[in-house]
Amino acid sequence: MHPPLTIHRHPMCAEIIEQFQKCHVDHPVAKFFGECTDLKIKLDRCFRQEKAIKRKANFEESKKLKERLQAYRKETNEKDSDLTQSL
């Protein structure tokens, strides 16, 4: 099973998606007997690569956000401690 084959959501795999969809149109019965299997395997590999790239980018983004949050918490804690000491 694969995700919806919309080219705008999978720009890295656009060429393979088009070939796979053309294969299904050109071979309406043979597709059930493995005519498009090679393209399906290529498509699955492409989706895995695309997902790995997105996962890495999301991880890097989350690290940046985590660092910002920790800096904010540290700053807030310092302000709170300064206020309690002055009282």
Side-chain angles (χ1 to χ4, degrees), residues 16-72:
I16 299 171
I17 289 172
E18 289 173 353
Q19 292 172 357
F20 185 68
Q21 289 174 334
K22 185 179 183 312
C23 183
H24 274 231
V25 169
D26 293 345
H27 308 286
V29 176
K31 68 182 178 185
F32 296 112
F33 299 103
E35 183 68 31
C36 305
T37 302
D38 292 339
L39 287 171
K40 172 73 167 106
I41 292 169
K42 287 181 185 178
L43 189 62
D44 288 342
R45 286 184 184 145
C46 185
F47 284 152
R48 274 191 232 119
Q49 290 174 348
E50 186 179 56
K51 186 174 182 177
I53 291 169
K54 286 181 180 181
R55 186 182 318 119
K56 184 176 180 180
N58 287 340
F59 181 71
E60 294 298 323
E61 183 69 23
S62 72
K63 282 171 59 175
K64 290 177 187 176
L65 289 173
K66 189 175 181 178
E67 289 172 2
R68 256 184 45 207
L69 179 62
Q70 287 176 347
Y72 176 76

Side-chain angles (χ1 to χ4, degrees), residues 9 11-12 33 52:
R9 293 191 68 199
M12 289 179 54
F33 299 103

